[in-house]
């Protein structure tokens, strides 16, 4: 096993083994910002938050819609057609680029495809896996006070007796709702206050709680994340899993979900192939106002530069890789940006009074190009290709991989999200900025200090060298807690992981 593969294996063990031991702290981190308790979710899934009741509230039947019936709903037909097209495109691209590696459904193939028949089966359905408050995204949806997300996991039904395997399948469906319905009299401050005041043990019974505000009328879009294929470790490759990401906006007039561009998912192939589009994107992003938002993580890239779907391969390691969304956009032949462009733009922004929080070098600019995208974010500190798989409340004996509700990236961001909710509640001006996906913001507190979310064992860090002037300004503060040292996880990158110091 290579050194990089060894670190990836350790990282996977951290996700699937170390996180459950921190359950008490996890519960504190997500207070007021998410509902992840399996018993509560089971109750909610049995009521009006069941997916088919959200998508088709006029339906009165008590029996949940199975996958085949769900995707036969008029509102879901375009979603099914788009996913089928992506499968066909993925297979065609695989055959063109890797003709010697077979692809198909089943263990007999080099690349094992997800059996899409399971999506449209009578033996599967989507179950509620979590509810997440994303009012920290008000900068993208001010009129609706940001978003609330209902996350559903595809799950097998009628599992054979004696089968202890989890019934869950590797796909999530994220139903994104406006936190505030159009025309509603309630304020963003009041909504935030309801979430922060929500007693964990009274979610189902609390009068005038935040769940009262979640209704089908608030639906904005569906986001899907599907493990489209898996390649086990072999003589020719390390293990690899590819995830298909898609977004479908709800067209209320048509009563249907329609395929749309993904927020900030830069269409790398189209940009690199079109010199005019390349120049336009370069000028737009390096504009001081847009660069400042890019640094803060609140940038909204115009749709003309975006893709309508993405494949996020995992794991990709820490070194530069063409599997990363930003690969080739900076400092390569035919790139959109060169280092001189970035240095000049950063200097101009600083001289104009912009206080850069994250991007202080071309390397920081390149990293933000990656983690601002959907695919790049999902490749960073995820559980496989997911940030919120949710707890498996349908399994009799859940394995470690299904006990962990969410990734370190998710938990590390809860302090920031809760800080924004508190500011909204108190009538203060929130700070919507965020750090890199690998390194969350502390927001002046100590909750994350010493944990694997920030600077504890397994956290991402920067391997500093001498002289100090040679350390990259964007990452030199990524240090490890007392007793740990930063150890490189790749051959080129100085981004590594915190482990016990060598004796």
């Amino acid at each position: 096993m290579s050194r990089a593969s060894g670190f990836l294996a350790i990282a996977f063990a951290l996700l699937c083994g170390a996180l459950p031991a921190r359950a008490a702290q996890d519960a504190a981190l997500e207070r007021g910002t998410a509902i992840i308790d399996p018993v509560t979710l089971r109750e909610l899934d049995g009521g009006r938050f069941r997916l088919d009741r959200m998508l088709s509230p006029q339906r009165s039947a008590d029996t949940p819609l199975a996958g085949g019936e769900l995707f036969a709903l008029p509102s879901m037909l375009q979603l099914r057609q788009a996913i089928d097209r992506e499968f066909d495109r993925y297979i065609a691209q695989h055959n063109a680029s890797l003709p010697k590696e077979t692809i198909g459904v089943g263990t007999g193939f080099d690349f094992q495809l997800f059996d899409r028949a399971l999506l449209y089966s009578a033996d599967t359905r989507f179950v509620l896996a979590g509810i997440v408050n994303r009012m920290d995204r008000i900068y993208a949806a001010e009129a609706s006070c940001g978003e609330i997300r209902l996350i559903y996991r595809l799950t097998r039904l009628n599992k054979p007796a004696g089968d202890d395997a989890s019934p869950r399948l590797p796909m999530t469906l994220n139903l994104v709702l406006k936190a505030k319905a159009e025309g509603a009299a309630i304020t963003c401050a009041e909504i935030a206050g309801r979430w922060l005041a929500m007693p964990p043990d009274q979610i189902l019974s609390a009068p005038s709680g935040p769940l009262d505000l979640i209704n089908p009328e608030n639906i904005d879009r569906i986001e899907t994340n599907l493990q489209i294929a898996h390649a086990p470790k072999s003589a020719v490759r390390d293990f690899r899993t590819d995830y298909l990401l898609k977004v479908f906006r709800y067209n209320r007039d048509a009563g249907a979900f329609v395929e749309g561009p993904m927020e900030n998912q830069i269409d790398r192939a189209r940009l690199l192939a079109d010199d005019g589009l390349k120049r336009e994107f370069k000028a737009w992003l390096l504009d001081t106002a847009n660069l400042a938002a890019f640094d803060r993580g609140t940038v909204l890239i115009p749709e003309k530069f975006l893709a309508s779907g993405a494949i996020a391969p995992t794991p990709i390691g820490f070194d530069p890789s063409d599997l990363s969304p930003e690969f080739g956009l900076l400092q390569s032949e035919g790139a959109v940006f060169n280092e001189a462009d970035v240095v000049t733009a950063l200097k101009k922004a600083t001289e104009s009074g912009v206080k850069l929080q994250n991007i202080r070098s071309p390397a920081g600019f390149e990293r933000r190009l990656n983690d601002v995208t959907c695919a790049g974010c999902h490749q960073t500190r995820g559980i496989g290709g997911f940030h919120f798989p949710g707890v498996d409340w349908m399994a009799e004996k859940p394995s470690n991989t299904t006990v962990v509700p969410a990734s370190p990236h998710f938990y590390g961001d809860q302090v920031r999200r809760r800080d924004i909710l508190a500011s909204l509640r108190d009538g203060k001006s929130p700070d919507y900025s965020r750090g890199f996906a690998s390194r969350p913001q502390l927001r002046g507190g100590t909750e994350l200090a010493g944990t694997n979310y920030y600077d504890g064992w397994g956290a991402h860090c920067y391997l500093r060298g001498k002289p100090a002037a040679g350390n990259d300004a964007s990452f030199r503060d990524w240090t490890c807690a007392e007793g740990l040292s930063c150890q490189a996880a790749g051959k080129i990158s100085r981004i590594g992981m915190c482990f016990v110091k060598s004796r």
Side-chain angles (χ1 to χ4, degrees):
M1 178 181 289
S2 68
R3 178 179 175 85
S5 298
F7 271 102
L8 291 171
I10 292 172
F12 188 78
L14 278 169
L15 292 171
C16 298
L19 287 178
R22 303 199 59 83
Q25 182 166 7
D26 294 346
L29 284 173
E30 49 80 21
R31 66 187 183 277
T33 58
I35 299 172
I36 66 174
D37 176 66
V39 175
T40 301
L41 292 169
R42 176 185 291 147
E43 291 292 321
L44 294 174
D45 186 75
R48 64 186 181 91
F49 292 106
R50 202 175 68 202
L51 180 57
D52 59 283
R53 285 177 172 156
M54 291 297 298
L55 297 179
S56 186
Q58 70 278 8
R59 185 173 180 270
S60 59
D62 290 332
T63 306
L65 284 182
E69 298 170 307
L70 183 78
F71 283 99
L73 292 174
S75 62
M76 299 288 283
L77 286 177
Q78 292 190 50
L79 194 148
R80 174 175 180 164
Q81 293 166 358
I83 290 177
D84 283 341
R85 286 195 301 271
E86 293 290 354
F87 265 86
D88 295 340
R89 184 181 295 116
Y90 180 85
I91 294 169
Q93 290 177 344
H94 173 92
N95 289 334
S97 60
L98 298 170
K100 295 183 179 180
E101 296 189 55
T102 59
I103 184 170
V105 177
T107 57
F109 295 90
D110 298 320
F111 271 71
Q112 299 166 17
L113 272 178
F114 178 86
D115 185 359
R116 69 177 115 167
L118 292 170
L119 283 175
Y120 319 128
S121 169
D123 294 321
T124 61
R125 80 170 179 94
F126 287 93
V127 302
L128 186 64
I131 301 179
V132 180
N133 182 311
R134 293 307 309 271
M135 293 180 71
D136 62 291
R137 284 179 43 78
I138 287 181
Y139 67 87
E142 186 173 355
S144 58
C145 299
E147 303 163 352
I148 304 298
R149 302 184 177 189
L150 307 184
I151 303 175
Y152 298 86
R153 181 73 178 231
L154 186 64
T155 304
R156 292 179 186 270
L157 306 173
N158 307 315
K159 193 169 56 111
D163 184 354
D164 290 336
S166 170
R168 302 202 310 173
L169 296 165
M171 180 180 181
T172 59
L173 185 152
N174 182 8
L175 188 63
V176 183
L177 300 100
K178 299 174 182 178
K180 176 184 175 181
E182 187 174 348
I186 195 168
T187 66
C188 298
E190 291 170 330
I191 298 173
R194 286 194 185 192
W195 276 89
L196 290 172
M198 178 177 59
D201 59 345
Q202 298 178 30
I203 292 172
L204 298 174
S205 59
S208 300
L211 300 187
D212 292 342
L213 305 173
I214 301 176
N215 296 292
E217 293 77 18
N218 296 33
I219 292 175
D220 181 70
R221 64 187 183 275
I222 281 175
E223 299 174 348
T224 60
N225 184 359
L226 166 68
Q227 185 190 105
I228 193 169
H230 169 70
K233 182 176 176 59
S234 69
V236 298
R237 70 165 60 255
D238 284 329
F239 69 95
R240 171 177 154 186
T241 306
D242 289 350
Y243 293 83
L244 169 66
L245 311 178
K246 297 286 290 182
V247 171
F248 302 88
R249 295 175 175 172
Y250 187 60
N251 183 321
R252 204 161 295 278
D253 293 334
F257 291 96
V258 180
E259 182 180 15
M262 302 172 64
E263 184 177 296
N264 292 344
Q265 183 62 42
I266 301 167
D267 193 332
R268 180 180 72 183
R270 190 160 56 87
L271 274 179
L272 295 179
D274 186 328
D275 289 338
L277 197 64
K278 191 187 301 182
R279 287 192 296 271
E280 190 176 355
F281 181 58
K282 173 181 174 180
W284 184 88
L285 189 56
L286 295 184
D287 174 82
T288 297
N290 297 328
L291 184 61
F294 186 59
D295 170 69
R296 294 192 303 270
T298 59
V299 72
L300 296 172
I301 298 173
E303 292 183 359
K304 68 174 76 176
F305 304 119
L306 305 179
S308 60
I311 297 294
T314 62
I316 61 166
F318 292 78
D319 287 337
S321 168
D322 61 359
L323 300 179
S324 300
E326 50 69 32
F327 187 82
L329 295 180
L330 175 67
Q331 205 67 19
S332 63
E333 186 176 353
V336 179
F337 309 95
N338 60 52
E339 289 195 3
D341 295 330
V342 175
V343 170
T344 300
L346 293 177
K347 181 180 179 182
K348 181 181 177 181
T350 301
E351 290 174 347
S352 67
V354 174
K355 295 182 179 179
L356 297 171
Q357 299 180 23
N358 300 290
I359 304 172
R360 300 186 179 95
S361 64
F365 181 87
E366 187 173 33
R367 179 164 285 266
R368 184 60 105 192
L369 271 176
N370 194 61
D371 77 8
V372 78
T373 68
C374 300
C377 181
H378 276 260
Q379 290 172 330
T380 306
R381 306 214 73 189
I383 301 177
F386 298 104
H387 280 303
F388 196 96
V391 173
D392 183 4
W393 52 260
M394 293 186 71
E396 295 178 6
K397 299 177 181 179
S399 65
N400 277 344
T401 56
T402 55
V403 166
V404 182
S407 72
H409 174 66
F410 172 86
Y411 281 118
D413 201 38
Q414 297 310 299
V415 173
R416 183 190 70 90
R417 297 181 191 180
R418 201 169 63 244
D419 177 75
I420 290 171
L421 288 179
S423 293
L424 288 168
R425 178 198 60 195
D426 299 338
K428 299 177 181 177
S429 181
D431 175 8
Y432 293 109
S433 67
R434 62 180 177 86
F436 290 109
S438 285
R439 192 78 171 187
Q441 292 178 335
L442 291 181
R443 294 276 170 153
T446 60
E447 284 183 271
L448 300 178
T451 70
N452 66 306
Y453 309 128
Y454 185 70
D455 62 355
W457 195 76
H460 288 191
C461 55
Y462 177 76
L463 189 63
R464 292 189 291 186
K466 296 181 179 179
N471 293 320
D472 195 289
S474 296
F475 314 115
R476 62 190 176 200
D477 295 332
W478 292 22
T479 57
C480 298
E482 184 69 27
L484 303 177
S485 66
C486 190
Q487 301 181 31
K491 296 179 180 179
I492 300 173
S493 175
R494 292 171 71 176
I495 301 296
M497 299 175 73
C498 296
F499 293 119
V500 177
K501 292 181 179 179
S502 300
R503 295 183 178 180

